Amino acid sequence: MKTDPKNTRKPLAFYYLIAMIVIMLLNALVFPALMSPHVTEVGYSDFLTMIEENRVQEVAMDTDQIIFSAADEEGETAIFKTGLWPDDDLVNRLKDSGASFAAAIPTQDSPLLSFLTGWIFPILFFVLIGQLMSRMLSKKLGGNAMQFGKSNAKIYVESQTGKTFADVAGQDEAKEALNEIVDFLHNPQKYKEIGASLPKGALLVGPPGTGKTLLAKAVAGEAKVPFFSISGSEFVEMFVGMGAAKVRDLFKQAAEKAPCIVFIDEIDTIGKKRDGAHGMGGNDEREQTLNQLLTEMDGFDGAKGVVILAATNRPESLDKALLRPGRFDRRIPVELPDLQGRVAILNVHAKNVKMDENVDFDAIGRATSGASGAELANIINEAALRAVRLGRDTVSQSDLEESVETVIAGYQRKGAVISEKEKQIIAYHEIGHALVAARLKNAAPVHKITIIPRTSGALGYTMQVEEEERVLMSREDMLNQLITLTGGRAAEEVVFDSITSGASNDIEKATSIARAMITRYGMSEQFGMVALETVNNPYLSADTSLMCSQDTSARVDAEVQKMIAQAHDKAVKILTQDRELMDRLTKHLLDRETITGAEFMDLMKA
Ligand code: ADP
Ligand code: MG
Ligand code: ZN
């Protein structure tokens, strides 16, 4: 941020000092003088003298002092005070001198003035000081602490995001849809002539890391119109009511700058369904913010040229009101990249990295099915880091392959202590997976087997890679997966006649596959094509909820057990038959720690 030239301010301490000095002066001089303007303190002997000279006019007794009015030297009446002394005869002498006795003598001329000086002025003074301080404080804190309701939406213009559509690999449909919006903002005339009006808002929807934020930034780069960007979480602030105020402010700014684009990232943080029940209390603030957003979206018409983009990976949790026509009525899906997309993303991110001439992105793309753009970008970076660590000046294929595993399975756990016996168990376990997979018809080929432990906790790892992109899974594919997953534990049983905790991850995966086959894919004979579970979030596969009776649910559990037991039996059968081959393969794996799919196939044939 640039600093305002007018803002060359003196340090805070300077103002502090000035304020302190002023307060001290006022305290010592001005206030006391104002409060008791005319009372003169005199000694008791002076008082006695004045009585003798008959100058005392009125006398009042206080608890600890005598206040009296008397003519001073020039004959003017003034107010005096003096201390109390034991003086039995005082009353008589005063009476003789002609003084009168009063209940009280006001020590000040005007009660209003005394009220002002005693109360109002000091209070005013401190309020002013307080305001001055808070203003300075809020300047120091970047203008955020005390300025209630000011949005800190950043205005991105083209040069500032520095991203264009060229930085986004794949995602052609999303780019096309966004391009239309950009084009509209450039030539609104073209659209007006034919009578088309653009949707007010578009929602980028897709799993995390697929480039939604990146796409929005690229739109800013392409659009050459002002681009307001704010993240949903920024609306949810410390003070109640700030969120709604921020929305108001954001749209006010946008209206001034139209044509322009407003981008709300992670809109689900404010746009969650309003459920009416405020059990936990804190919902009010979010609802207020959401209501304000809806109001603002309705408040302007698209012809003005404000287009609202938003991004979320939880579209199902959004309030229906947001998705109504006239609001975010256009959805732009931003999906996980396919093989082509993955290779393109790898290429984009490799542009600024020195690569070996013979790196094969196609192979990396194949090994990373299901990876998001963010993960792929991470893979390139990890590979570059590894190359530096090993003292090379270009990134090689092995760096890339290693970083695929790093990103997918965690870092290699160097120096982890594993006994020979454990290593043997792990090797048999992994060969068990691989051999079962190789013996099954139409199972995905083995790509790599390793018994190098990972920080993620995996002690070994068998990677299978499909020959081509798959969008559909058949029942056979899923059963093959089940059998392959149980292969590890089966090998332990066949060889050692005992089982270990090493299969926990396999068991978890197998259970969820078997469950999904029964409850979601209609692949079990017992239940047929009945949905027993709904998927709450298509991008979080674990986010499901049951929709069947307790009785059915118990039968589903039994069916899951049966399917896995059958798969396990099959794996045990295969491995028992191939025991000799399994021993040979395991010995080789123990020697090398890592073997490739090609080596594995060669050994199978030998
Ligand atoms: P999202 O907002 O969808 O969670 P981001 O836009 O933040 O994901 O993406 C994170 C990073 O991943 C980007 O900064 C970029 O480096 C990389 N990335 C994701 N998708 C792509 C893509 N299609 N092309 C190039 N890079 C991508
Ligand atoms: Mg994002
Ligand atoms: Zn396993």
Side-chain angles (χ1 to χ4, degrees):
M1 229 212 294
K2 271 195 303 177
T3 44
D4 191 337
K6 278 175 289 183
N7 261 1
T8 49
R9 301 188 149 266
K10 298 205 168 67
L12 194 61
F14 175 78
Y15 290 97
Y16 248 118
L17 199 67
I18 296 274
M20 291 298 276
I21 291 173
V22 171
I23 290 172
M24 273 163 18
L25 283 177
L26 286 177
N27 243 347
L29 304 173
V30 183
F31 288 159
L34 280 177
M35 275 193 286
S36 46
H38 295 307
V39 180
T40 316
E41 190 158 5
V42 293
Y44 200 74
S45 54
D46 290 337
F47 174 51
L48 295 180
T49 313
M50 284 191 226
I51 297 174
E52 271 157 32
E53 292 171 359
N54 293 339
R55 276 159 55 195
V56 176
Q57 295 160 350
E58 271 191 318
V59 188
M61 193 80 80
D62 225 354
T63 48
D64 55 350
Q65 61 186 0
I66 299 168
I67 299 166
F68 61 99
S69 62
D72 61 10
E73 274 92 55
E74 286 99 49
E76 306 253 333
T77 301
I79 296 169
F80 300 90
K81 64 177 181 184
T82 186
L84 279 176
W85 282 82
D87 190 343
D88 296 336
D89 202 27
L90 180 64
V91 177
N92 286 333
R93 271 182 291 138
L94 277 169
K95 221 165 146 190
D96 292 347
S97 79
S100 60
F101 298 90
I105 292 177
T107 53
Q108 277 168 334
D109 294 1
S110 141
L112 178 67
L113 185 66
S114 97
F115 181 65
L116 281 178
T117 52
W119 290 98
I120 301 298
F121 288 162
I123 290 175
L124 267 181
F125 178 75
F126 283 109
V127 167
L128 277 176
I129 290 279
Q131 286 215 324
L132 191 73
M133 294 284 212
S134 79
R135 204 165 307 157
M136 287 189 300
L137 200 65
S138 78
K139 282 252 164 59
K140 288 270 158 192
L141 297 180
N144 204 8
M146 302 292 167
Q147 285 169 301
F148 293 96
K150 276 273 172 220
S151 101
N152 40 10
K154 295 156 240 102
I155 304 182
Y156 285 126
V157 268
E158 173 199 11
S159 57
Q160 278 168 321
T161 70
K163 300 273 184 230
T164 63
F165 282 152
D167 293 303
V168 188
Q171 306 296 2
D172 292 329
E173 283 142 68
K175 277 197 256 181
E176 199 173 305
L178 289 168
N179 222 341
E180 195 184 340
I181 291 172
V182 171
D183 189 50
F184 172 79
L185 292 172
H186 283 168
N187 331 294
Q189 209 49 44
K190 194 168 87 186
Y191 290 80
K192 244 177 238 159
E193 267 164 26
I194 203 166
S197 69
L198 218 65
K200 244 187 235 177
L203 189 61
L204 294 162
V205 178
T210 45
K212 297 180 295 297
T213 307
L214 181 67
L215 269 167
K217 285 187 182 160
V219 169
E222 300 278 334
K224 301 186 179 66
V225 297
F227 186 86
F228 296 84
S229 160
I230 192 162
S231 170
S233 56
E234 285 174 59
F235 283 121
V236 185
E237 293 264 346
M238 15 178 193
F239 303 115
V240 174
M242 287 250 313
K246 273 190 174 181
V247 172
R248 215 174 302 130
D249 185 60
L250 175 65
F251 279 85
K252 202 172 129 243
Q253 283 190 51
E256 284 162 9
K257 291 266 163 41
C260 68
I261 295 172
V262 174
F263 174 55
I264 305 172
D265 206 355
E266 284 154 43
I267 193 171
D268 41 288
T269 42
I270 49 167
K272 268 190 228 126
K273 284 193 186 92
R274 292 166 293 183
D275 44 15
H278 303 267
M280 304 305 286
N283 275 352
D284 276 359
E285 162 72 348
R286 224 197 53 232
E287 275 188 23
Q288 271 184 28
T289 310
L290 176 56
N291 284 336
Q292 187 66 38
L293 179 64
L294 297 176
T295 314
E296 294 289 348
M297 285 192 76
D298 291 342
F300 63 86
D301 61 309
K304 276 219 191 91
V306 180
V307 174
I308 305 161
L309 293 180
T312 180
N313 44 36
R314 311 181 59 93
E316 79 296 335
S317 76
L318 289 183
D319 198 289
K320 290 280 172 294
L322 267 176
L323 306 173
R324 231 186 48 191
R327 290 167 182 163
F328 291 107
D329 41 11
R330 180 176 287 197
R331 270 187 189 220
I332 303 178
V334 185
E335 297 291 351
L336 286 172
D338 56 6
L339 175 59
Q340 252 186 328
R342 289 198 298 275
V343 173
I345 292 172
L346 287 169
N347 272 310
V348 163
H349 286 277
K351 230 185 289 169
N352 297 323
V353 178
K354 279 200 194 119
M355 292 279 168
D356 258 5
E357 275 159 34
N358 54 0
V359 291
D360 181 4
F361 283 141
D362 201 62
I364 303 300
R366 280 178 191 284
T368 47
S369 172
S372 69
E375 279 166 330
L376 293 167
N378 199 7
I379 283 171
I380 295 280
N381 193 48
E382 285 291 339
L385 289 176
R386 183 172 188 266
V388 173
R389 209 159 44 230
L390 300 183
R392 275 189 267 106
D393 49 11
T394 57
V395 174
S396 69
Q397 188 73 11
S398 66
D399 293 330
L400 287 169
E401 278 181 355
E402 178 59 30
S403 74
V404 168
E405 286 169 65
T406 302
V407 170
I408 291 173
Y411 289 90
Q412 264 192 30
R413 203 165 57 177
K414 285 269 164 57
V417 189
I418 293 174
S419 70
E420 279 306 309
K421 174 79 182 167
E422 280 174 334
K423 219 165 154 184
Q424 219 178 14
I425 297 174
I426 296 164
Y428 268 107
H429 178 109
E430 296 308 330
I431 290 293
H433 286 305
L435 188 52
V436 167
R439 285 287 183 242
L440 290 170
K441 225 170 47 178
N442 295 332
V446 172
H447 181 77
K448 183 168 181 173
I449 314 165
T450 168
I451 51 168
I452 298 171
R454 304 269 144 191
T455 44
S456 66
L459 297 167
Y461 184 81
T462 303
M463 189 152 88
Q464 288 172 274
V465 176
E466 294 281 357
E467 255 153 359
E468 52 207 35
E469 277 287 288
R470 302 289 290 268
V471 282
L472 287 176
M473 293 264 274
S474 67
R475 181 161 187 265
E476 185 192 12
D477 294 334
M478 296 183 112
L479 287 176
N480 279 348
Q481 279 190 349
L482 280 186
I483 300 167
T484 307
L485 281 168
T486 52
R489 164 65 65 89
E492 292 176 29
E493 284 171 59
V494 169
V495 178
F496 301 100
D497 201 17
S498 81
I499 52 179
T500 68
S501 60
S504 67
N505 189 31
D506 300 336
I507 293 170
E508 209 178 304
K509 272 194 207 152
T511 309
S512 87
I513 290 174
R515 245 199 122 69
M517 287 176 73
I518 298 165
T519 61
R520 286 161 50 201
Y521 304 132
M523 286 181 179
S524 72
E525 275 144 35
Q526 192 182 348
F527 296 100
M529 270 178 59
V530 174
L532 301 170
E533 228 174 38
T534 47
V535 182
N536 299 327
N537 183 342
Y539 302 117
L540 300 171
S541 50
D543 191 2
T544 57
S545 48
L546 222 56
M547 44 183 250
C548 58
S549 71
Q550 272 194 334
D551 176 49
T552 311
S553 166
R555 281 196 293 141
V556 168
D557 291 340
E559 183 78 358
V560 169
Q561 277 166 18
K562 202 174 102 195
M563 278 173 83
I564 293 176
Q566 279 172 354
H568 174 256
D569 286 349
K570 224 172 242 170
V572 169
K573 208 168 127 213
I574 292 172
L575 293 176
T576 317
Q577 277 171 4
D578 266 337
R579 176 65 204 264
E580 212 187 317
L581 179 58
M582 179 162 65
D583 288 343
R584 195 146 45 82
L585 290 166
T586 305
K587 195 158 166 292
H588 195 80
L589 179 60
L590 277 167
D591 263 6
R592 301 283 198 76
E593 295 206 330
T594 301
I595 51 181
T596 65
E599 280 174 321
F600 178 75
M601 290 321 285
D602 284 347
L603 286 165
M604 292 268 301
K605 280 177 210 136

